[in-house]
Amino acid sequence: MAKATRITKLVFLFTSLLFVAACTTGFEDRGNIPLSSFTTAQLEGMGSSPGAPMIIRIFKQDSELEVWKQVKATGKYELFRTYDICAWSGDLGPKFKEGDRQSPEGFYEVTPGHMNPRSNYFLSFNLGFPNKFDRSHGRTGSNIMVHGDCTSRGCYAMTDEQVGEIYALVRESHSGGNRSVQVQVYPFRMTGKNLALNASSPHMAFWKNIKEGYDIFEVSKTKPQWDVCSGDYSFNRSGACGASTLDPAIKAAVMAKQAKDDVAFKEAQADIEQTKLDEAEAEQRRLEAKQAAAERQAAIEQQTSKVTGWFGSLFGGGSDGEQSGQTDPNAPTPPARD
């Protein structure tokens, strides 16, 4: 009996060790989940590869995360896949301080050291907040991630399945010899109309600043090189504040885009103001119609009251004298009583 008990205990101990080993191995291997053959085939089909350079763009208002991969033949980036963001926290605008539960905006570089295969949220990678720009403005915060688990306290949360693929794409890009994967975070797509819709925001100057990097990427489909000059993001300059390093043709195209966006901004502002005027006029007409209806109802009630009074006097069952308590002087005098 004692021998059987010892054997049972040994079997239990051995099974427990196997279970712990399996769990530990699975936990550590999350970061090595391979890309699916389907995803790899899609990358190859667009002329890219898992190890090619990669850019991520995040748009808060649309709750979308885009993965862009560089195509070998042209050296330009093409959109590979768009993912719905499960959750982000705070409002449109940048993050300012630790604990404000605000998801950041700006330009970030994810290096191999930012990868976290042992995340409490399945998998995650750190955006690197605060970056050089954030620090120049005294902004604070830590552990701002793109992670799984679909819940956010200042991060960008995905489903576990999504973050597993995104994490693998970033990891493979690092393995391909790329020092970092750039993450561009915007409040919305930086169109003239969207800026006009948010023209009263205190973040407008910041948004116009990061729009410079957005425009360079939109026009050239190449990676914007960013730094910080006098407290602002600077893009594609020699040193932080030097001359532009953009190809003249690309620079001209960027300026043309910005001029077009400025026109769209002004037109959208005019449309917004006109809409406000139209809505105010419609509200005034509504109030006037309501007042006119009330006056008509009052007039109807007054007329109804007069008609009712006339019919009451006509069919009230007595003469005016009787109603007023007066006696007819021609009426016979009733006989006296004893």
Side-chain angles (χ1 to χ4, degrees):
M1 184 69 177
K3 183 178 180 181
T5 302
R6 285 196 300 274
I7 292 173
T8 301
K9 287 181 177 179
L10 286 171
V11 170
F12 176 77
L13 178 61
F14 181 71
T15 304
S16 299
L17 288 172
L18 284 177
F19 178 77
V20 169
C23 288
T24 303
T25 301
F27 189 77
E28 291 176 344
D29 283 351
R30 284 185 206 163
N32 294 317
I33 295 174
L35 288 171
S36 69
S37 57
F38 175 73
T39 297
T40 301
Q42 281 189 311
L43 287 168
E44 292 173 351
M46 67 182 285
S48 188
S49 67
M54 171 178 164
I55 287 175
I56 292 174
R57 298 203 304 177
I58 291 174
F59 298 96
K60 278 185 176 180
Q61 193 170 73
D62 296 330
S63 291
E64 289 184 345
L65 182 151
E66 296 177 346
V67 167
W68 292 70
K69 291 289 289 185
Q70 190 180 61
V71 175
K72 185 176 180 180
T74 64
K76 298 189 180 209
Y77 287 79
E78 292 183 7
L79 180 62
F80 173 63
R81 192 161 292 167
T82 301
Y83 304 82
D84 291 331
I85 296 172
C86 247
W88 56 272
S89 59
D91 303 309
L92 299 182
K95 182 177 181 64
F96 289 96
K97 62 182 180 180
E98 182 87 50
D100 63 4
R101 293 178 177 266
Q102 177 77 4
S103 298
E105 295 171 7
F107 283 71
Y108 298 90
E109 303 291 336
V110 177
T111 66
H114 287 132
M115 307 297 281
N116 183 19
R118 301 181 65 83
S119 173
N120 291 327
Y121 299 103
F122 187 67
L123 285 169
S124 66
F125 54 87
N126 197 314
L127 289 179
F129 180 94
N131 64 11
K132 184 177 181 179
F133 173 89
D134 300 318
R135 292 193 301 273
S136 74
H137 289 271
R139 297 176 182 175
T140 59
S142 57
N143 300 320
I144 304 302
M145 308 277 188
V146 172
H147 62 64
D149 202 38
C150 233
T151 180
S152 172
R153 294 192 300 273
C155 300
Y156 291 97
M158 317 297 293
T159 65
D160 289 352
E161 181 181 4
Q162 288 173 328
V163 82
E165 180 168 88
I166 297 167
Y167 185 99
L169 285 165
V170 176
R171 180 197 67 219
E172 292 304 309
S173 184
H174 288 154
S175 298
N178 300 291
R179 186 183 62 84
S180 70
V181 168
Q182 187 176 94
V183 180
Q184 307 170 9
V185 189
Y186 302 104
F188 37 71
R189 298 184 188 278
M190 308 300 280
T191 64
K193 182 177 180 180
N194 282 339
L195 286 167
L197 289 170
N198 294 274
S200 61
S201 171
H203 309 305
M204 183 54 62
F206 169 72
W207 289 340
K208 286 185 175 180
N209 182 202
I210 62 175
K211 183 180 181 296
E212 294 176 28
Y214 176 91
D215 290 341
I216 290 171
F217 184 74
E218 284 288 298
V219 168
S220 69
K221 294 300 186 290
T222 59
K223 180 180 177 179
Q225 303 299 323
W226 66 270
D227 208 319
V228 179
C229 176
S230 301
D232 288 333
Y233 278 103
S234 62
F235 297 96
N236 294 73
R237 294 188 175 276
S238 57
C241 304
S244 174
T245 59
L246 281 175
D247 178 87
I250 293 176
K251 185 176 181 181
V254 169
M255 292 177 67
K257 179 185 183 304
Q258 291 173 342
K260 184 177 179 180
D261 288 344
D262 286 342
V263 171
F265 178 85
K266 292 174 182 177
E267 289 177 347
Q269 275 194 315
D271 289 342
I272 291 167
E273 290 302 317
Q274 187 60 52
T275 298
K276 289 179 180 178
L277 288 174
D278 292 344
E279 289 175 350
E281 290 176 0
E283 178 64 14
Q284 182 62 31
R285 288 195 297 270
R286 189 187 68 80
L287 292 174
E288 290 174 354
K290 184 177 179 180
Q291 180 64 28
E295 291 174 356
R296 286 194 300 271
Q297 183 62 30
I300 290 170
E301 291 175 356
Q302 184 179 21
Q303 188 64 26
T304 301
S305 177
K306 288 181 179 180
V307 171
T308 302
W310 183 80
F311 274 99
S313 65
L314 184 63
F315 300 107
S319 64
D320 288 342
E322 290 173 332
Q323 289 179 354
S324 61
Q326 297 176 354
T327 303
D328 185 352
N330 298 318
T333 303
R337 295 182 180 180
D338 293 336

